[in-house]
Amino acid sequence: MRKFGCAILILSGLSRAAAQNVHEKDLRSLFGIVTDARTGGAIAGVNVFLSKTTVGTVTDSLGRYSIGPAPRGVHDLVFQHVGYEFEIFAVSPAGAASMRVDARLRPKVLKGPVVTITGPYPREWRRRFEEFEKAFLGETFNAKKCDLRNPEAVHFRFDSTAEGWSAFSDEAVIVENRALGYTVRNHILAFNWTGDVTVVRQKVFSVFKPFSFQNKDDADKADRNRESAYRGSVRHFVSAFARAKVKEEGFRVFQSRVNFFEGRRHPVEEVSNRYPIPPDNLYRVLQCSAFDDTASTVPRDAGLKRLSFPEWLKVEYRGVKSYISLEDRFMLADTLGRIWTPVSYIAAGAWGRCGIADLLPADYVPYPSAQYSGGSTGRDTPNGNPIRSSNGILKK
């Protein structure tokens, strides 16, 4: 951005504001009361938030909450309090001025032995935490700019059935992301991995709070970093796919095959066509159609697209290589690149190295492509090459 004049910077800001205002008509509020399922009494201090957004609050002394505006889409509305089980609702606020959602929380019962802190960090806990932190934050430049502020909140349990470890937290695990300018509160329901970090499955609910910057330079730097994290990301590619703008947005797509050997952390062989899929054949391979399922609970005006493609794709963006494969026949996504189907894909290469450190909130609105001047995303400098689905499954 610095190499362009001030007029372009001002125009970019106006374009961004206009893009955000377009979605104001879709914003709604949610409210309700949270009670104890056993006693019926109100619960104060419950964390209530839309996962992977900046929208959240805590209940008052009468168990009441009100949050909003809620961005368009289907979201996980999460209720979390120490000593209680998570309560999660899938909500789609569009179509009404407000929506009431009450929750009844059940007391939590812990099962199995737990590795926790009883004084100074014990050796076994430190070893598990190092594995967890690397998989959780990712292996990118942005991950190096993150601090996990309360490691003592993370507990570990050995899962004999999966022959691996599980991390969980009774309270929010707080990550300060200095690169993107967010404090991220992560409520970890489950984060499972095998001993050699070959396979990871996760169910993590996160809420973002933007930093309050003391000066404009720091705010501008975080804004540029957010755009860089978005450009070339899975979300950017899915957005371009849903808008049939893959080539125009700067992506080159190859049909590919990736082979993995058991126990290895990295793909050991990748076979692809030498040349990208030609433009006249691109949307025969990348199939996009409107989603209009009359039996679905998704609102008709959600503007969802059904996206599908065969086997693996290799996707290049400014020379950085990533790989993606569907876990199901298709994924559902909107034109902002938000994926509405859980555990719908596996990603490798640059995308696989990204963790919470490169995650942007769902209500983040990127600049129009014509206003973006580029910059390093940090995705071309990590040390590993895991395969990850940001919606739930990771392999290395």
Side-chain angles (χ1 to χ4, degrees):
M1 295 289 290
R2 291 179 179 174
K3 63 183 179 181
F4 291 97
C6 292
I8 295 296
L9 287 173
I10 293 171
L11 180 59
S12 296
L14 292 174
S15 298
R16 186 186 187 87
Q20 291 173 325
N21 289 337
V22 166
H23 302 286
E24 288 294 324
K25 62 184 177 60
D26 298 315
L27 304 180
R28 303 291 184 265
S29 63
L30 296 103
F31 69 97
I33 299 176
V34 184
T35 56
D36 188 304
R38 184 176 53 186
T39 67
I43 309 176
V46 178
N47 293 292
V48 185
F49 60 93
L50 296 176
S51 184
K52 295 182 173 59
T53 74
T54 58
V55 180
T57 188
V58 295
T59 57
D60 64 15
S61 60
L62 299 178
R64 300 173 303 188
Y65 77 91
S66 177
I67 59 175
R72 178 188 181 193
V74 175
H75 303 279
D76 287 322
L77 176 62
V78 181
F79 298 85
Q80 184 274 338
H81 194 281
V82 174
Y84 289 90
E85 299 286 352
F86 281 81
E87 191 71 23
I88 304 154
F89 298 90
V91 297
S92 179
S98 61
M99 176 184 295
R100 177 165 182 164
V101 181
D102 296 332
R104 301 174 71 242
L105 304 188
R106 296 167 295 170
K108 179 181 291 185
V109 178
L110 296 179
K111 300 177 182 179
V114 173
V115 178
T116 188
I117 300 174
T118 57
Y121 297 128
R123 181 179 300 176
E124 176 68 10
W125 186 93
R126 286 200 307 269
R127 182 162 59 249
R128 300 307 166 195
F129 181 78
E130 288 173 1
E131 295 175 358
F132 162 79
E133 187 176 37
K134 186 175 183 180
F136 183 63
L137 294 179
E139 302 176 70
T140 66
F141 175 81
N142 287 342
K144 298 176 183 178
K145 298 292 184 179
C146 289
D147 293 321
L148 205 158
R149 305 299 296 176
N150 55 336
E152 70 279 0
V154 184
H155 308 295
F156 303 103
R157 181 190 299 116
F158 183 72
D159 185 345
S160 58
T161 58
E163 297 184 350
W165 287 85
S166 175
F168 64 95
S169 61
D170 289 326
E171 58 184 288
V173 176
I174 300 171
V175 173
E176 287 193 2
N177 189 331
R178 301 188 305 279
L180 301 186
Y182 292 111
T183 298
V184 190
R185 297 174 59 88
N186 304 280
H187 300 269
I188 303 174
L189 190 61
F191 192 97
N192 307 304
W193 73 95
T194 60
D196 57 1
V197 201
T198 301
V199 178
V200 172
R201 295 179 182 275
Q202 58 179 306
K203 195 166 188 180
V204 180
F205 301 98
S206 306
V207 61
F208 294 74
K209 181 180 179 181
F211 284 5
S212 296
F213 293 102
Q214 299 302 312
N215 61 73
K216 186 175 182 298
D217 287 344
D218 289 343
D220 288 345
K221 183 177 180 180
D223 198 43
R224 290 193 299 269
N225 287 342
R226 292 170 188 174
E227 277 302 304
S228 291
Y230 173 79
R231 297 295 158 180
S233 66
V234 173
R235 178 175 167 185
H236 183 196
F237 174 70
V238 170
S239 172
F241 190 166
R243 292 180 287 116
K245 296 288 184 179
V246 171
K247 183 176 181 294
E248 292 82 351
E249 293 284 311
F251 292 98
R252 301 174 70 207
V253 182
F254 304 75
Q255 287 188 274
S256 180
R257 185 175 77 249
V258 182
N259 296 334
F260 300 90
F261 290 162
E262 186 68 26
R264 296 290 185 92
R265 290 192 56 200
H266 310 304
V268 295
E269 181 184 356
E270 183 269 319
V271 181
S272 67
N273 295 331
R274 183 177 178 183
Y275 301 104
I277 301 170
D280 59 352
N281 197 41
L282 184 61
Y283 293 105
R284 294 189 183 95
V285 177
L286 305 182
Q287 297 183 11
C288 175
S289 60
F291 179 74
D292 189 15
D293 186 348
T294 56
S296 173
T297 58
V298 175
R300 287 288 191 93
D301 63 349
L304 283 184
K305 302 291 184 179
R306 187 194 303 258
L307 309 179
S308 63
F309 51 85
E311 299 180 347
W312 283 91
L313 297 179
K314 180 172 77 171
V315 181
E316 290 188 3
Y317 184 81
R318 301 191 175 197
V320 179
K321 300 176 184 179
S322 300
Y323 305 88
I324 187 168
S325 177
L326 292 178
E327 285 284 88
D328 207 341
R329 293 181 296 111
F330 60 87
M331 68 166 64
L332 293 181
D334 59 28
T335 54
L336 290 178
R338 298 176 301 195
I339 300 171
W340 290 22
T341 43
V343 197
S344 58
Y345 69 91
I346 301 174
W351 289 342
R353 290 187 284 271
C354 299
I356 193 71
D358 292 271
L359 185 65
L360 291 164
D363 43 350
Y364 174 78
V365 179
Y367 287 101
S369 297
Q371 305 298 332
Y372 178 67
S373 66
S376 173
T377 65
R379 277 186 286 273
D380 51 350
T381 57
N383 296 319
N385 197 18
I387 300 180
R388 183 192 303 271
S389 159
S390 61
N391 287 320
I393 186 168
L394 174 149
K395 299 179 182 178
K396 290 186 176 180

